[in-house]
Amino acid sequence: MESVKLIECPRDAWQGLPRQIPTERKVEYLRGLVAAGFRHIDAASFVSPKAVPQMADSEEVLGQLGPLNGVEIVGIVVNEKGAARAIATGKVTTLGYPCSISETFLRRNQNQSPEENAAVLKRIKAMADESGVEMVAYVSMAFGNPYGDPWSEKRVTEAATMITDLGIGAVSLADTVGAAEPELIQRVTAAVLRERTACEVGIHMHSTRAGAAAKVLAAFDSGCRRFDSAIGGLGGCPFAQDDLVGNIPTEEVVRALEQRGVTSPFGDLLVSMIAANHTIASDFSTAA
């Protein structure tokens, strides 16, 4: 997309599936995304395999992909050990690190206090700088949380400021539980963009398919030009709440942005990737 950066998120789509996807199937799917024209892929995470078994083979998957010239590969990390693993692959070009303004979610997702979360972010940024890789930090629960933890627009903008003051060039606002209404998305995104005009501000949203277009357009109309999505709308954070709310479906993002004159480069290849995604979902979404 010429004026929009679309980050495809198979990692987020796969991480909650109960049956293990074979490494070869993941590699085949990622190669298909590259062939279809995707140039920004959230492909893997480097966390404890006990916590996220589906991502236990991240090194093997990336090792089998072959040359990926011109393709950004995002690897999600929550500590220095994970960052070292991601960097060692030689394939991860961007480290993704979850921050959160919900202390409850931080404890559930990565067993950190807010102070620990900020300290680890600084150390991982130093590792990224030394290794020549980029970073994106996610403000989880950016639009509220289901736990009753304090939330305000000011808290969101302060988190974005903390991130970008470290020299991190991209911050992604995450509707982690898929509860945000379009008006709130537009208001919060616009507030962050007003404060952080020098950095790339993105959106990582979860939604039902029916509600996706309105959320995408709310973010776009606020000035957002970076969107995380997953073909088929699979995914959801298994540590956020019991019921997973899928990612914004990529095909719905494409359709919504066409209403604003933004055209997709994917064409018929997106249709083939939707079919491939449907096969993975049907094969591995139920327990053995």
Side-chain angles (χ1 to χ4, degrees), residues 170-251:
V171 56
S172 189
L173 308 177
D175 181 19
T176 316
V177 293
E181 295 295 331
E183 186 277 333
L184 180 62
I185 291 169
Q186 185 164 8
R187 193 174 77 236
V188 173
T189 305
V192 174
L193 281 164
R194 283 194 300 271
E195 295 289 331
R196 300 286 97 196
T197 54
C199 90
E200 187 174 64
V201 176
I203 289 287
H204 182 102
M205 293 184 291
H206 295 255
S207 175
T208 63
R209 183 176 291 272
K215 294 184 178 187
V216 170
L217 293 178
F220 183 87
D221 291 343
S222 74
C224 178
R225 295 297 182 268
R226 176 189 173 110
F227 295 86
D228 289 13
S229 61
I231 290 170
L234 281 180
C237 179
F239 307 105
Q241 58 184 8
D242 291 337
D243 295 327
L244 299 185
V245 181
N247 288 274
I248 292 278
T250 301
E251 55 272 28

Side-chain angles (χ1 to χ4, degrees), residues 270-285:
L270 178 57
V271 176
S272 68
M273 291 311 302
I274 292 171
N277 171 77
H278 178 75
T279 300
I280 286 179
S282 62
D283 286 351
F284 302 102
S285 62

Side-chain angles (χ1 to χ4, degrees), residues 75-268:
I76 303 301
V77 303
V78 298
N79 52 37
E80 296 98 315
K81 180 180 179 180
R85 287 175 56 199
I87 291 167
T89 67
K91 295 290 180 65
V92 173
T93 62
T94 302
L95 299 178
Y97 182 78
C99 301
S100 180
I101 57 173
S102 163
E103 183 169 357
T104 301
F105 181 67
L106 271 180
R107 298 285 186 187
R108 293 178 63 157
N109 189 55
Q110 53 217 82
N111 194 28
Q112 293 173 339
S113 69
E115 295 75 20
E116 289 168 334
N117 183 252
V120 172
L121 174 61
K122 292 177 183 178
R123 295 196 292 268
I124 290 177
K125 176 61 166 63
M127 295 173 67
D129 289 344
E130 184 177 351
S131 303
V133 301
E134 300 297 323
M135 281 200 72
V136 54
Y138 303 88
V139 181
S140 304
M141 302 292 175
F143 303 93
N145 61 81
Y147 317 119
D149 290 346
W151 178 91
S152 67
E153 288 182 34
K154 183 179 180 183
R155 283 177 175 264
V156 180
T157 57
E158 286 175 346
T161 297
M162 180 274 291
I163 290 164
T164 56
D165 282 353
L166 291 175
I168 294 171
V171 56
S172 189
L173 308 177
D175 181 19
T176 316
V177 293
E181 295 295 331
E183 186 277 333
L184 180 62
I185 291 169
Q186 185 164 8
R187 193 174 77 236
V188 173
T189 305
V192 174
L193 281 164
R194 283 194 300 271
E195 295 289 331
R196 300 286 97 196
T197 54
C199 90
E200 187 174 64
V201 176
I203 289 287
H204 182 102
M205 293 184 291
H206 295 255
S207 175
T208 63
R209 183 176 291 272
K215 294 184 178 187
V216 170
L217 293 178
F220 183 87
D221 291 343
S222 74
C224 178
R225 295 297 182 268
R226 176 189 173 110
F227 295 86
D228 289 13
S229 61
I231 290 170
L234 281 180
C237 179
F239 307 105
Q241 58 184 8
D242 291 337
D243 295 327
L244 299 185
V245 181
N247 288 274
I248 292 278
T250 301
E251 55 272 28
E252 298 301 329
V253 175
V254 170
R255 292 190 189 104
L257 293 178
E258 285 174 350
Q259 299 180 42
R260 297 294 186 265
V262 180
T263 57
S264 162
F266 308 126
D268 291 340

